């Protein structure tokens, strides 16, 4: 959540994975996307229609 909160605008899962120091392969990005989606479903983040995430 810190990465999304500190970003200048909406963040994609790939951007979040890069900030965490992960490889940008689908196998490494998809778990990050899942975590971001869970946070959005729980109301901690907002999800745009384009799959980008913003702090609430």
């Amino acid at each position: 959540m810190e990465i999304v909160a500190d970003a200048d605008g909406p963040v994609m899962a790939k951007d979040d994975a890069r900030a965490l120091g992960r490889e940008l392969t689908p196998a490494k990005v998809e778990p990050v996307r899942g975590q971001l989606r869970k946070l959005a479903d729980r109301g901690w983040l907002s999800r745009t229609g384009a799959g980008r995430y913003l702090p609430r």
Side-chain angles (χ1 to χ4, degrees):
M1 277 191 46
E2 276 184 40
I3 295 168
V4 176
D6 292 342
D8 293 333
V11 176
M12 295 177 63
K14 186 190 310 187
D15 301 328
D16 207 21
R18 182 181 298 123
L20 292 170
R22 295 187 181 200
E23 296 175 28
L24 298 181
T25 61
K28 300 293 182 179
V29 175
E30 287 303 316
V32 173
R33 182 174 285 115
Q35 291 296 321
L36 290 170
R37 184 175 293 270
K38 283 182 184 178
L39 290 171
D41 289 345
R42 293 177 180 155
W44 292 42
L45 297 176
S46 295
R47 183 174 185 267
T48 67
R52 296 173 187 256
Y53 296 88
L54 295 163
R56 278 219 167 220

